[in-house]
Amino acid sequence: MVRHVKRRRFIAASGIAGIATLAGCIGEDAVEDENGDDPDDDDMDDMDDDGNGEDADDDELEAEPDDDGEVLTLDAGGTEGTYYPLAGDMKTIVEDHTPHGVTVRSTGASVENVATLGREDVELALVQNDIAYFAYTGTELEEFEGEPIDNLRGIASLYPETIHIVTQEDSDIETVADLEGASINTGDLGSGTQVNALQILESAGIEDFDEQNTDFGTAADQIGDGDVDAAITVGGYPLGAIEDLSATQDISFVEVTEDVREQLLDDAEWLAEDTIPGGTYDGVDDDVETVSVQAMLATHEAADEEIVEEVTAALFDNVDDFTTQADFIDLETAQEGMPIDLHPGADAYFDG
């Protein structure tokens, strides 16, 4: 059935999902954004990833800090996205260069992660900068409106999370304008991906479409099976689910044209212009113009200042140790697009 979707209607709908999530059901239903497919809420305490977010080892090992260290919990995202292998890198770096141990959890990513930080259930989390801003200011999404999570604190900006709009190669869908009347997977209900997807569709004037909501892995399967015309995903390229799809299917990407990009930047200042380079995915040889949000590492106000400074120093003194998004994580860009106040521990490192 074709749905007539308007922005406020979306906010109300996503709010229902978000309220249920924040009420205590977090982790049961995927609140996927840039990162993930079906999060199992599994703890992955020893990461052996293949670089695409696929688990190479299902064993769960508790972090083992040194005698004078602490166990820190880092909430990531679904295993087929970017946050999960990136969190594995962070775990390795922190454990190699500090006395602390890190437990990495697969989660529904940004919306879920700001909630767990707000409750101070974890010390660290990966989030989109727009979702962090919405949560911190109590705006935009209904689950945050009037109830800001004002104890959120930033540690660092990391890399651009690129919006991918993928379709089958023979679909004749070339630009966002061609999505009128299409069936579109916009990501899980209440997720950061759904926020971004509907921002794009609204700015492009797309009002009538059949909206479907699932995790990344399922969305890729739907494209491969022809069950949807397009799927919108968010994450640092290359995204594992799309890499896998492009290895077995002929795909193409829907361009966010210049006029739509300009409108988006006016409508949503947290977005930035971006390009998926040709050759990133099998069979897609030309650059694809699109937009992106920013991935960031966050904590909460009560997190120990000395520990946060040690973690920040470990990560940015050893950026060459990253294997995921290594081209983007850099000290010079670590505060770009930071939408919330820095934690004093991070501030101490950057000012030191």
Side-chain angles (χ1 to χ4, degrees):
M1 179 178 66
V2 174
R3 296 177 57 193
H4 185 75
V5 179
K6 290 292 188 182
R7 182 176 181 79
R8 286 297 161 189
R9 180 172 170 182
F10 154 65
I11 291 173
S14 65
I16 294 169
I19 290 168
T21 300
L22 297 179
C25 298
I26 291 175
E28 293 183 14
D29 294 317
V31 189
E32 163 268 325
D33 54 20
E34 58 292 329
N35 304 286
D37 81 328
D38 186 21
D40 297 323
D41 205 20
D42 293 331
D43 287 355
M44 289 306 300
D45 301 309
D46 190 25
M47 303 287 290
D48 282 320
D49 287 305
D50 63 7
N52 293 318
E54 296 291 340
D55 249 352
D57 191 339
D58 290 333
D59 292 342
E60 296 184 4
L61 301 176
E62 291 295 330
E64 296 182 1
D66 295 345
D67 290 341
D68 56 345
E70 300 290 338
V71 173
L72 310 175
T73 300
L74 168 56
D75 276 0
T79 57
E80 289 194 19
T82 309
Y83 280 6
Y84 197 67
L86 175 62
D89 283 350
M90 291 182 166
K91 171 185 172 67
T92 299
I93 295 168
V94 170
E95 292 184 341
D96 283 350
H97 298 283
T98 79
H100 310 300
V102 179
T103 296
V104 174
R105 303 197 308 183
S106 172
T107 74
S110 292
V111 175
E112 177 178 336
N113 291 355
V114 294
T116 54
L117 282 177
R119 295 195 304 269
E120 300 180 3
D121 291 343
V122 301
E123 292 77 29
L124 304 166
L126 294 166
V127 298
Q128 290 180 198
N129 65 342
D130 56 338
I131 300 302
Y133 177 79
F134 299 155
Y136 185 70
T137 58
T139 58
E140 190 69 24
L141 294 178
E142 188 170 308
E143 59 263 49
F144 302 140
E145 286 185 352
E147 297 185 12
I149 305 177
D150 54 12
N151 64 335
L152 290 180
R153 293 294 182 269
I155 294 179
S157 296
L158 300 172
Y159 65 90
E161 296 197 277
T162 305
I163 294 173
H164 299 61
I165 310 177
V166 63
T167 185
Q168 290 187 333
E169 195 273 336
D170 60 357
S171 70
D172 295 326
I173 298 175
E174 296 181 355
T175 71
V176 177
D178 298 326
L179 292 172
E180 186 72 33
S183 57
I184 308 169
N185 190 314
T186 62
D188 277 318
L189 283 171
S191 68
T193 290
Q194 192 192 27
V195 172
N196 300 144
L198 295 185
Q199 285 166 346
I200 289 171
L201 295 171
E202 182 183 27
S203 292
I206 305 301
E207 296 185 340
D208 296 310
F209 57 95
D210 178 7
E211 183 182 9
Q212 299 194 31
N213 302 101
T214 69
D215 57 73
F216 277 14
T218 302
D221 289 343
Q222 287 181 323
I223 292 293
D225 295 338
D227 294 334
V228 295
D229 298 313
I232 301 177
T233 61
V234 182
Y237 54 76
L239 275 171
I242 298 178
E243 274 194 312
D244 292 344
L245 178 63
S246 69
T248 59
Q249 303 271 345
D250 292 331
I251 66 167
S252 65
F253 289 101
V254 180
E255 182 180 4
V256 183
T257 54
E258 183 177 2
D259 58 328
V260 175
R261 295 198 305 274
E262 290 177 354
Q263 185 63 53
L264 275 166
L265 298 184
D266 286 341
D267 293 343
E269 63 273 16
W270 50 85
L271 293 172
E273 295 196 54
D274 203 357
T275 302
I276 303 172
T280 301
Y281 298 97
D282 288 348
V284 183
D285 297 327
D286 296 330
D287 291 352
V288 179
E289 300 305 319
T290 183
V291 293
S292 64
V293 291
Q294 190 83 1
M296 57 177 283
L297 181 64
T299 185
H300 56 76
E301 184 178 28
D304 182 89
E305 183 172 340
E306 182 177 351
I307 291 176
V308 172
E309 183 174 2
E310 290 173 339
V311 168
T312 309
L315 296 176
F316 286 93
D317 287 349
N318 300 282
V319 292
D320 290 342
D321 292 350
F322 281 96
T323 64
T324 301
Q325 297 302 313
D327 291 342
F328 298 102
I329 299 173
D330 186 84
L331 179 61
E332 293 195 6
T333 59
Q335 296 183 64
E336 290 183 1
M338 176 59 64
I340 62 177
D341 291 342
L342 281 180
H343 188 278
D347 198 31
Y349 170 76
F350 291 121
D351 284 347

